Amino acid sequence: FDTCLILAGGRGTRLSPYTDKKHKSLVEINGSKFIEYIIEHLNYYGISNIVILTGYLSDQFQEIEDKYKDVSGISVRQFKTDQELNTCARVSLAKKYLEGDVLVCYGDVFTEVNLTDYYKFYKSFINSFCSISALSRHCKISTKELNNTNIKAKKIYKDIGFFAINADLLIKFMP
């Protein structure tokens, strides 16, 4: 992927009181901020152009930008937006940062997805976009139901936070 947008604009109300004064992506786990695990995972797979779309408590992300500014081979910038904006509006405002194949991910979800395999799968379809979903752990479903292609996706799948699209295609459909 040429660019990664990390969505980190939300308030994190489900994690209150931990997120009352600290952004949920910046909560520390085992001595590192949560978003650092995401950035390192992206960098491991060669994704070096990273833009964090912030909203709530934006100023706190300056320390992440500062941490990576002298790290060779990786660019981590933040793009501050109004905390009341929705995801689509945030991405639309960040158009100038989009180039090539874009990976969009959440700043509060970590999964060890093999991003090389995901990229190859995404590139196997021309002018398309794709996302990764997983079966919800709260869903009880039989193998017969799982193999039913007519079942509504919302019913059994949960978005796990990766979306891939070409920047030109994304910009074409943005407001």
Side-chain angles (χ1 to χ4, degrees):
F1 291 97
D2 301 298
T3 305
C4 180
L5 298 180
I6 299 177
L7 305 174
R11 292 185 52 84
T13 55
R14 290 182 301 237
L15 292 175
S16 184
Y18 304 106
T19 56
D20 291 343
K21 296 185 191 290
K22 183 176 282 285
H23 192 279
K24 63 185 171 180
S25 299
L26 300 174
V27 170
E28 286 198 18
I29 299 172
N30 292 327
S32 293
K33 295 183 178 14
F34 189 80
I35 200 165
E36 293 174 329
Y37 291 105
I38 296 169
I39 292 168
E40 295 303 322
H41 182 71
L42 296 168
N43 193 38
Y44 176 82
Y45 284 99
I47 301 170
S48 59
N49 183 24
I50 299 168
V51 180
I52 306 168
L53 303 183
T54 61
Y56 176 65
L57 299 175
S58 294
D59 292 337
Q60 293 182 359
F61 285 89
Q62 186 60 49
E63 67 180 287
I64 298 299
E65 239 184 315
D66 291 345
K67 176 179 179 168
Y68 288 96
K69 75 177 174 189
D70 294 326
V71 177
S72 179
I74 187 168
S75 169
V76 177
R77 296 167 286 175
Q78 75 164 308
F79 183 73
K80 295 179 184 182
T81 62
D82 185 282
Q83 71 182 38
E84 302 305 318
L85 290 178
N86 64 31
T87 300
C88 184
R90 271 193 184 92
V91 172
S92 183
L93 288 173
K95 282 189 239 191
K96 67 180 180 182
Y97 294 109
L98 303 178
E99 58 185 58
D101 293 310
V102 178
L103 177 68
V104 180
C105 68
Y106 299 131
D108 61 353
V109 174
F110 180 80
T111 181
E112 292 182 318
V113 167
N114 181 317
L115 295 174
T116 301
D117 289 345
Y118 179 48
Y119 182 75
K120 287 177 187 175
F121 176 78
Y122 152 72
K123 290 301 279 184
S124 70
F125 301 94
I126 297 174
N127 292 327
S128 67
F129 59 89
C130 69
S131 66
I132 298 179
S133 297
L135 281 172
S136 171
R137 69 174 191 255
H138 303 292
C139 182
K140 295 185 186 327
I141 186 167
S142 69
T143 304
K144 182 179 177 184
E145 290 173 301
L146 180 62
N147 292 323
N148 180 353
T149 58
N150 295 320
I151 197 164
K152 292 184 179 179
K154 287 185 196 175
K155 193 171 184 179
I156 63 169
Y157 293 105
K158 175 147 183 68
D159 177 15
I160 62 167
F162 288 103
F163 182 81
I165 190 168
N166 182 273
D168 293 335
L169 190 59
L170 180 60
I171 291 168
K172 179 179 175 180
F173 291 106
M174 279 189 202

